[in-house]
Amino acid sequence: MISDQDHPAHAGGPGGSPETGQVQISVDAMGSDLGPAAVVAGCALSVRNNPHVHIILHGDTAVLEPLVARQPALTGRCVLRHAERTVTMEDKPSHVMRHGKGTSMWSTIEALSLGDAQAAVSCGNTGALMAVSMLLLRRMEGVSRPAIACLWPSLGKHRFNTMLDVGADVKAEPQDLLAYAIMGTTYFRNGFNEARPRVGLLNVGTEEHKGRAESKIAFDLIARHQETGRYEFVGFVEGSDIPSPRVDVIVTDGFTGNIALKTGEGTAKLVGDVLRESLRSSFISMLGALLSRRAFELVSARVDPRRVNGGVFLGLNGTVVKSHGSADATGVAAAIALAAKLAQSGYQGRMAERLVIAAQAAQESEPEGESE
Amino acid sequence: MISDQDHPAHAGGPGGSPETGQVQISVDAMGSDLGPAAVVAGCALSVRNNPHVHIILHGDTAVLEPLVARQPALTGRCVLRHAERTVTMEDKPSHVMRHGKGTSMWSTIEALSLGDAQAAVSCGNTGALMAVSMLLLRRMEGVSRPAIACLWPSLGKHRFNTMLDVGADVKAEPQDLLAYAIMGTTYFRNGFNEARPRVGLLNVGTEEHKGRAESKIAFDLIARHQETGRYEFVGFVEGSDIPSPRVDVIVTDGFTGNIALKTGEGTAKLVGDVLRESLRSSFISMLGALLSRRAFELVSARVDPRRVNGGVFLGLNGTVVKSHGSADATGVAAAIALAAKLAQSGYQGRMAERLVIAAQAAQESEPEGESE
């Protein structure tokens, strides 16, 4: 799915081996809700599915060694790095930033920052993972707020739209929203072979006069950089447009994006729960449901956001994929596959270039005295 | 559904006739996407269903007279008030505020402000309706930002939760969010016979340290006024909790609330579209769907937000219900029924009292120099 559209010459990225196409993925074995066995099983699945993937697995080796030994697929494809401690879901990001050295999460990102791996995957605490990633990988030039991008089931031809930020930062200035447009469209272009992705800015109406003052400033900025960013700006979009075929990338701040993401998940679950309950309400309905089972499975596969596993951190000097905390082996394998594809596409270089151009242009025009 | 829990002595409100239980509803006949015929049919349906409802219908009498004549149910139950002009969906609220006199929308709200009616209903332009309502009805004391409350399908015992603000104002200060908690719970208490509704503040996580600084200030304010407001505060809730049985009223600013509402509508529609498509994919699935048809209808009735017609404007000196622009006769009748119930419950008086107490308490404590 990932193409080399943006950077064919650099596939593999820094530290990779473009000649052979091999890719090292740094995986945090701890911090999953289902325990390290699910992560190890996911690693085994991913190396079986992809002959180019190699794993550096971080965590307590006393726990991991027997788990890895039970997976023949991992022989010669996985090395262990011992980390004594584990970041929990309750740990505050600021605390992990200061005291996280020696945890499996820290070790996972460190391997990426040292160039030992070309992408990293963790099922752990999202806030802590972003904090450690910012500290060890640093932000790209021109990015003041990195973002988390998610895939959203859509009615468009690619069957998915991308939305960002869905929770890295609760605020975003207009300049950040422009950076999100550039990052999101570069990600989408390489993920879905779409030369010129369409980007929309999330708002409470599609008319230009609606919304907050910041939204209007961001509207102008994003419209002005269509050529730099190689995207098409469709203007404001509403919550109901997130799965729409008229847009590929939806840009918003991390507060609104997180609430939209979870509202969508909650609504899909509500519809599913109510449907299941109704189908059990009579014998005829149950019989009907049995006959339609294959159709229900198709729907579940298409609209359940958990099937698309992996929020991607954008705007850092390194590719980090956040897997769902409750991902099973299939989910972990999907996150590793996504990380490998992104690392091999080399999309980071081109994204960095565009971000610098946009940041320079913004500095030169300095709209409304917004210099720092 | 609506009880007199809060104000049994004042049922009917100012200008009403509590002795006879009769209620006058002021209805804007124009501005519906389906034209005035749908609104007139909705009026006829509502007077047939409720012997206490009387209608004052506003619009072009040349158009309305023949439509009303065709509905025998309206004989003696509906008076017409001529208004030459109609507010369109494209009209800017600020323009309607200045030049809206003589439109059917203006006339509809004016009848309420003069005490001729006890509640008003319009299918027209939401922004314009709020602007005209604020101008003619004025805000309640202690309210700086009125709000629009919607009902959301839920898994709780009342089958609906309430969320506000879903689009009256794109900003909300902590003091506004407290007012929303008071207004929303008073509305819910009277709508669902729930003595002590549970209120949650929408945020990106449920831990107290998460979210924006304003959210934390609002958290403390809402927690402190549980006794004044006669509600239980459950703390922060996430987007996935909007349909949850652990909360009745969800409080947020109008930007986030509008995006959540439309994201929920969009997701429900997406699931429905994908399901329909999948069920058509094979003969067996189609047969199954046919057998389960009754179950699907039940689901559609429960989760389609359009079936619950009527966003209620809260915080004004008068009850205004905004019907969906595309509501058919059934939808218009549902909005009129809601307006009648609210008018008869007299919930406004008690709400006004609590808002004044909360505003005074806030002024006395003046947290962090927020005095004006």
Side-chain angles (χ1 to χ4, degrees):
Chain A
M1 219 164 48
I2 299 276
S3 76
D4 277 340
Q5 286 205 326
D6 262 343
H7 237 198
H10 293 194
S17 319
E19 319 80 42
T20 60
Q22 302 301 302
V23 60
Q24 296 281 349
I25 309 295
S26 182
V27 177
D28 180 2
M30 320 306 273
S32 153
D33 298 350
L34 304 181
V39 179
V40 173
C43 290
L45 199 57
S46 74
V47 300
R48 268 206 299 274
N49 292 342
N50 187 335
H52 303 299
V53 167
H54 295 256
I55 308 281
I56 307 174
L57 195 60
H58 306 259
D60 185 347
T61 44
V63 174
L64 297 178
E65 263 166 7
L67 292 173
V68 170
R70 250 178 271 152
Q71 302 281 355
L74 291 174
T75 312
R77 304 279 295 278
C78 173
V79 294
L80 296 183
R81 287 210 182 156
H82 182 66
E84 202 75 43
R85 294 156 55 218
T86 299
V87 173
T88 70
M89 289 297 175
E90 288 70 40
D91 287 329
K92 278 199 188 183
S94 55
H95 182 264
V96 177
M97 251 174 110
R98 269 171 289 144
H99 309 286
K101 208 167 154 64
T103 62
S104 62
M105 183 185 279
W106 188 287
S107 178
T108 301
I109 302 301
E110 201 171 38
L112 185 57
S113 72
L114 295 171
D116 298 345
Q118 289 83 57
V121 172
S122 174
C123 301
N125 181 325
T126 309
L129 185 63
M130 180 52 93
V132 170
S133 300
M134 280 177 69
L135 186 72
L136 298 181
L137 302 173
R138 302 274 160 200
R139 290 169 294 190
M140 283 181 169
E141 202 187 323
V143 173
S144 63
R145 289 186 164 94
I148 305 175
C150 75
L151 292 177
W152 193 288
S154 107
L155 293 167
K157 67 175 172 178
H158 300 297
R159 296 195 157 202
F160 289 103
N161 292 342
T162 289
M163 181 162 74
L164 73 166
D165 174 25
V166 295
D169 200 311
V170 292
K171 300 234 173 203
E173 301 296 330
Q175 184 67 31
D176 300 318
L177 295 169
L178 169 61
Y180 295 172
I182 293 171
M183 299 187 318
T185 49
T186 308
Y187 170 53
F188 194 89
R189 181 180 306 114
N190 288 273
F192 295 98
N193 265 337
E194 182 65 55
R196 206 175 178 87
R198 297 154 306 164
V199 58
L201 181 59
L202 195 59
N203 197 4
V204 295
T206 53
E207 300 87 350
E208 276 191 47
H209 66 272
K210 286 210 172 170
R212 296 171 171 166
E214 307 90 275
S215 300
K216 288 161 210 162
I217 301 171
F219 183 103
D220 293 337
L221 264 180
I222 296 172
R224 216 186 303 148
H225 282 87
Q226 293 185 80
E227 285 317 306
T228 320
R230 276 180 62 201
Y231 56 73
E232 184 193 324
F233 183 46
V234 302
F236 287 136
V237 295
E238 298 187 86
S240 46
D241 294 320
I242 304 177
S244 160
R246 76 179 190 88
V247 66
D248 300 307
V249 176
I250 296 101
V251 163
T252 188
D253 66 88
F255 185 88
T256 312
N258 184 273
I259 282 170
L261 175 64
K262 290 185 177 160
T263 302
E265 289 180 346
T267 307
K269 186 175 174 306
L270 174 79
V271 176
D273 288 354
V274 172
L275 186 58
R276 251 186 302 277
E277 187 191 299
S278 301
L279 286 172
R280 282 200 207 101
S281 65
S282 79
F283 176 73
I284 297 290
S285 289
M286 278 170 74
L287 182 66
L290 207 63
L291 292 175
S292 312
R293 201 174 47 185
R294 177 83 192 112
F296 288 120
E297 285 166 3
L298 282 173
V299 175
S300 169
R302 263 199 74 182
V303 305
D304 183 348
R306 286 166 299 183
R307 300 287 179 120
V308 198
N309 191 27
V312 176
F313 291 5
L314 298 176
L316 299 168
N317 295 304
T319 298
V320 179
V321 175
K322 165 67 178 77
S323 160
H324 256 277
S326 57
D328 58 6
T330 313
V332 171
I336 293 173
L338 177 61
K341 282 176 188 166
L342 287 172
Q344 291 176 313
S345 81
Y347 76 111
Q348 290 260 59
R350 192 72 185 165
M351 186 187 285
E353 245 171 64
R354 291 193 187 110
L355 287 165
V356 169
I357 296 173
Q360 283 169 346
Q363 237 172 10
E364 277 157 27
S365 64
E366 272 179 17
E368 299 172 42
E370 273 188 293
S371 67
E372 291 180 57
Chain B
M1 222 165 44
I2 297 278
S3 77
D4 276 342
Q5 284 206 326
D6 262 345
H7 236 198
H10 292 192
S17 319
E19 318 81 44
T20 60
Q22 301 301 302
V23 59
Q24 296 280 351
I25 310 295
S26 182
V27 178
D28 180 5
M30 320 305 273
S32 153
D33 297 351
L34 305 181
V39 179
V40 173
C43 291
L45 198 56
S46 74
V47 300
R48 268 206 301 272
N49 292 342
N50 187 336
H52 303 298
V53 167
H54 295 257
I55 307 281
I56 307 174
L57 195 60
H58 307 259
D60 185 348
T61 44
V63 174
L64 296 179
E65 263 164 9
L67 291 174
V68 170
R70 251 178 271 151
Q71 302 281 356
L74 290 174
T75 312
R77 304 279 295 277
C78 174
V79 294
L80 295 184
R81 289 210 183 156
H82 181 67
E84 202 74 43
R85 293 155 56 219
T86 299
V87 173
T88 69
M89 289 297 175
E90 288 70 40
D91 287 330
K92 279 198 190 187
S94 55
H95 183 263
V96 177
M97 250 174 109
R98 268 171 291 147
H99 309 286
K101 210 170 153 63
T103 62
S104 61
M105 183 184 280
W106 187 287
S107 176
T108 300
I109 302 302
E110 201 170 40
L112 184 57
S113 72
L114 296 172
D116 298 344
Q118 289 81 55
V121 173
S122 174
C123 302
N125 182 326
T126 308
L129 185 63
M130 179 53 92
V132 171
S133 301
M134 280 177 69
L135 186 72
L136 298 180
L137 302 173
R138 301 274 161 199
R139 289 169 295 189
M140 282 182 170
E141 202 187 324
V143 174
S144 64
R145 289 187 163 93
I148 305 175
C150 75
L151 291 176
W152 193 286
S154 106
L155 293 167
K157 67 174 174 179
H158 300 297
R159 295 195 157 202
F160 288 103
N161 292 343
T162 288
M163 181 163 74
L164 74 164
D165 174 28
V166 296
D169 200 310
V170 293
K171 299 234 175 206
E173 301 296 331
Q175 184 67 33
D176 300 318
L177 295 169
L178 168 62
Y180 296 172
I182 292 172
M183 300 188 314
T185 50
T186 307
Y187 171 52
F188 194 87
R189 181 179 306 113
N190 288 273
F192 294 98
N193 265 335
E194 182 65 54
R196 205 175 179 87
R198 296 154 305 165
V199 56
L201 182 59
L202 196 59
N203 198 3
V204 295
T206 54
E207 300 87 350
E208 277 193 45
H209 66 272
K210 285 211 173 170
R212 296 172 171 163
E214 308 91 273
S215 299
K216 287 161 211 165
I217 300 171
F219 183 103
D220 293 337
L221 266 179
I222 296 173
R224 215 187 302 149
H225 282 86
Q226 292 185 79
E227 286 317 307
T228 320
R230 277 179 63 200
Y231 55 73
E232 183 193 330
F233 183 46
V234 301
F236 287 136
V237 295
E238 298 188 86
S240 46
D241 294 320
I242 305 177
S244 161
R246 77 180 190 89
V247 66
D248 300 308
V249 176
I250 295 102
V251 163
T252 188
D253 65 87
F255 185 88
T256 312
N258 184 273
I259 282 170
L261 175 64
K262 290 186 177 160
T263 301
E265 290 180 343
T267 307
K269 186 176 174 304
L270 174 78
V271 176
D273 288 354
V274 172
L275 187 59
R276 252 185 301 279
E277 187 192 300
S278 300
L279 287 171
R280 282 200 208 101
S281 64
S282 78
F283 176 73
I284 297 289
S285 290
M286 278 171 72
L287 182 66
L290 207 65
L291 292 175
S292 312
R293 199 174 48 184
R294 176 83 190 114
F296 288 121
E297 284 166 5
L298 282 173
V299 175
S300 168
R302 265 199 72 183
V303 304
D304 183 349
R306 285 166 299 183
R307 300 286 180 118
V308 198
N309 190 29
V312 176
F313 290 4
L314 297 175
L316 299 167
N317 295 305
T319 298
V320 179
V321 175
K322 165 66 178 76
S323 160
H324 256 277
S326 57
D328 58 8
T330 312
V332 171
I336 292 173
L338 178 62
K341 281 176 188 167
L342 287 172
Q344 290 175 314
S345 81
Y347 76 113
Q348 290 260 58
R350 193 71 186 164
M351 186 187 289
E353 246 171 62
R354 292 194 187 110
L355 286 165
V356 169
I357 296 174
Q360 282 168 346
Q363 238 172 12
E364 278 156 26
S365 64
E366 271 180 18
E368 298 171 41
E370 273 188 293
S371 67
E372 290 179 60

